[in-house]
Every structure is written in C-alpha cells, then in structure tokens.
C-alpha cells in the first residue's frame, strides 16, 4: 500500500528534495508552498515517479488555512501517514533594528505552524494507529548565531514541541522527531549569501567560506539527499521507537 505524506514548503529547496525522495519510495504526496509554479512542480514529480500528487498554496501565517490544508490532504488521499513540517523563512538583523513584523512572521511560520499542523493531523494519525511527524528544525535549534533572534528562538521551540509530541504520540504509534541541518544551498541560503556579501563587503565566495561554513568542520553545504534520506528513515514502520530526538546533520558544527 502506498502511504501518503504532506510536506510543507515542498515546492522549493529542502522540502522539494524530501518530496522527490518520498516519491521515489512510492509515497503519494501533498505538495505545498507559495511558489507560483507549485502545481507544475507537483505534477512533474508525480509523472516521473508514478505516484498521486496534489498541491496547496495554503498560507501558513493563518491557522485556519493550515487546518484546511490538513483536511484537504485527508479528503484527497483518504489517509495521512507522514507530516513533514518543513516550511520556513529567515531574517537576519541585530535585535535593536529587528522589525517586529519579521519577528512575528518567523515565529508564526517556523514554529506556530508546526503546532497547528501537528494538532490538525493528530485525530487521523490516532485513528490509523500510525503517524510520523518530522520537523525540519536546524542546527540553530541547538546552537545560536548572532543576528538571528527570531529564527533561533523558533527553531529551539520546535525541538521542545518535538519532545512533547513524542510523549503524547507514544501510545498511538505516532512518532515525532526533528532534523537539524547545517547550511544547505537552497533559495533561502542563496538570498542570505547575497545579503551577507553586501553587509560584510565581501565577495559571495568569501561569505560562503569565511562566514557561512566557518562553524562547520566539514567545509561543504549539507546535501539535500542526506536530509531526505533521514526523513525516509524516520517515516518507516520500523522507526517506531525513534521518537523525541533531534537528528543533527551539521558537518560537525555542534561537535565543537
Ligand atoms: P526555501 O526558501 O527554499 O523553501 C521554503 C518553503 O517554505 C517554500 O516552499 C516557501 O514557499 C514556503 N513558505 C515560506 N513562507 C510560507 C508561508 N507563509 N506559507 C506557506 N509556505 C511558505 O527554504 P529551505 O532552505 O528549503 O528551508 C526549508 C526549511 O529548512 C526551513 O524550515 C529552514 O529553516 C530549514 N533549514 C534550512 C537550512 C538551509 O541552510 N537552507 C538549514 C537548516 C534548516
């Protein structure tokens, strides 16, 4: 039987990498994201791997839209086995200039949406006696960097929530884990490279080497495939005792 996965923010970057890997494994996929060509991306993956797909552009800033996204997924596919809370945004600024609305949006999308989506899938996963919730946190869920007050707060929050959901889900074969990547070269990071080059008056290559990968012992971006493989492992039937944990793929950043 093909299982169903909903991946938020899966029409770009890490989410798309995860979606392709789930498609290869035969999962039906609810794609989601704000990219205008989202439906096209979903159909391409569906055609390539011969799996059922659908697409939603629900805005994660609104709790009702998140509830509708989950309801639509269950209505379309009949079941929902795996939820990957992946969508996220970033904004970098010293705290004294950090715009309040940027702070609020990062907390809403990167943290609160994880709560609303997980809450909304709970009843279905309990009914199935099977659920896998996978939260894409970050190395910034366990470590801090200056100028990222909102992001670091949200990502730490997600790790706390992951532990609570693991405890509450245990009687129902619902697991919840976090994946904590270091830097991955996605549109979110490409934007940061440009901003940082301006801020530090450096070339983009210098920013990658001297700023971004400075804290990683392995001086390369984390490959999308590594994160996707980790998500596939966490979704397996056999992963029932892997719960409440954070799986760190950070090139040795947090080993220091
Ligand atoms: P990305 O910008 O490529 O993709 C983000 C996705 O989230 C997009 O599909 C976008 O449409 C969606 N999204 C953003 N705001 C939304 C909203 N209001 N409503 C609905 N969807 C929205 O970013 P990415 O680098 O692939 O990041 C994915 C996740 O991985 C994020 O949670 C990010 O914090 C985390 N992460 C990224 C890195 C990295 O280096 N790229 C490292 C660690 C963790």
């Amino acid at each position: 039987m093909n299982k169903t996965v909903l991946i938020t923010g899966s029409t770009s970057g890490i989410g798309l990498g995860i979606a392709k890997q789930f498609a290869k494994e035969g999962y039906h996929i609810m794609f989601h994201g704000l990219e205008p060509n989202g439906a096209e991306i979903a159909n391409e993956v569906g055609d390539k791997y011969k799996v059922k797909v659908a697409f939603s552009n629900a805005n994660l800033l609104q709790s009702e839209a998140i509830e509708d996204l989950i309801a639509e997924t269950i209505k379309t596919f009949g079941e929902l086995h795996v939820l990957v809370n992946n969508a996220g945004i970033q904004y970098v600024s010293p705290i004294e200039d950090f715009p309040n609305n940027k702070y609020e949006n990062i907390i809403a999308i990167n943290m609160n949406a994880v709560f609303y989506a997980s809450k909304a899938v709970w009843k279905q996963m309990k009914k199935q006696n099977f659920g896998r919730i996978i939260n894409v946190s970050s190395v910034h869920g366990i470590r801090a960097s200056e100028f990222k007050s909102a992001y670091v707060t949200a990502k730490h929050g997600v790790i706390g929530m992951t532990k609570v959901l693991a405890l509450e889900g245990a009687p129902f074969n619902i697991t919840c884990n976090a994946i904590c990547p270091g830097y991955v070269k996605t549109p979110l990071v490409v934007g940061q490279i440009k901003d940082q080059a301006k801020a530090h008056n450096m070339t983009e290559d210098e920013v990658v080497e001297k700023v971004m990968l400075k804290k990683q012992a392995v001086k390369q971006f984390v490959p999308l495939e590594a994160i996707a493989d980790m998500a596939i492992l966490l979704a397996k039937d056999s992963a029932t005792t892997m719960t409440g944990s954070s799986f760190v793929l950070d090139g040795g950043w947090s080993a220091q």
Side-chain angles (χ1 to χ4, degrees):
M1 182 203 71
N2 300 59
K3 289 201 170 93
T4 297
V5 57
L6 160 62
I7 305 155
T8 66
S10 45
T11 46
S12 177
I14 294 174
L16 181 54
I18 293 175
K20 285 179 179 165
Q21 197 72 2
F22 272 100
K24 260 191 218 169
E25 296 283 324
Y27 284 76
H28 299 313
I29 301 182
M30 182 58 149
F31 278 83
H32 163 266
L34 297 184
E35 283 62 34
N37 58 340
E40 233 173 89
I41 293 173
N43 288 330
E44 253 173 49
V45 175
D47 289 347
K48 183 164 176 193
Y49 297 104
K50 310 266 175 294
V51 292
K52 276 193 236 161
V53 296
F55 166 71
S56 160
N57 62 357
N59 190 341
L60 299 183
L61 285 170
Q62 295 151 5
S63 59
E64 302 80 16
I66 299 172
E67 285 157 17
D68 290 349
L69 166 64
I70 304 298
E72 190 189 334
T73 308
I74 295 168
K75 191 167 166 221
T76 306
F77 296 97
E79 288 171 312
L80 177 50
H81 302 93
V82 185
L83 166 66
V84 183
N85 287 305
N86 162 76
I89 58 169
Q90 174 63 288
Y91 191 80
V92 179
S93 163
I95 190 160
E96 64 177 327
D97 303 319
F98 211 113
N100 290 352
N101 71 323
K102 297 279 186 201
Y103 176 82
E104 282 152 17
N105 286 351
I106 288 178
I107 297 295
I109 295 167
N110 295 15
M111 190 177 81
N112 295 347
V114 177
F115 169 79
Y116 293 122
S118 304
K119 181 179 170 185
V121 297
W122 207 254
K123 197 169 156 198
Q124 176 68 25
M125 287 184 171
K126 254 171 94 170
K127 193 167 91 183
Q128 293 166 180
N129 197 38
F130 185 94
R132 299 284 182 257
I133 299 177
I134 301 167
N135 297 326
V136 179
S137 177
S138 165
V139 66
H140 282 119
I142 55 168
R143 291 288 182 279
S145 293
E146 59 276 64
F147 312 137
K148 295 188 175 176
S149 48
Y151 189 83
V152 169
T153 301
K155 293 298 186 183
H156 273 68
V158 164
I159 288 184
M161 202 184 314
T162 300
K163 293 177 190 171
V164 176
L165 300 190
L167 299 181
E168 291 190 28
F172 313 109
N173 191 21
I174 300 172
T175 66
C176 184
N177 292 287
I179 299 179
C180 300
Y183 278 107
V184 191
K185 200 163 187 191
T186 66
L188 182 140
V189 162
V190 170
Q192 275 187 68
I193 297 174
K194 285 194 174 51
D195 293 348
Q196 300 242 27
K198 254 193 235 158
H200 295 279
N201 200 18
M202 286 178 177
T203 65
E204 293 188 11
D205 284 347
E206 282 173 325
V207 167
V208 169
E209 194 192 314
K210 295 184 182 154
V211 181
M212 296 211 142
L213 300 183
K214 191 174 150 203
K215 293 177 179 169
Q216 290 189 200
V218 182
K219 301 290 177 197
Q220 50 181 269
F221 287 107
V222 179
L224 283 177
E225 295 73 19
I227 300 167
D229 285 345
M230 179 56 76
I232 296 290
L233 173 65
L234 292 172
K236 283 181 186 280
D237 289 5
S238 61
T240 192
T241 54
M242 295 173 77
T243 196
S245 295
S246 298
F247 295 87
V248 181
L249 291 82
D250 67 352
W253 179 329
S254 58
Q256 297 172 54

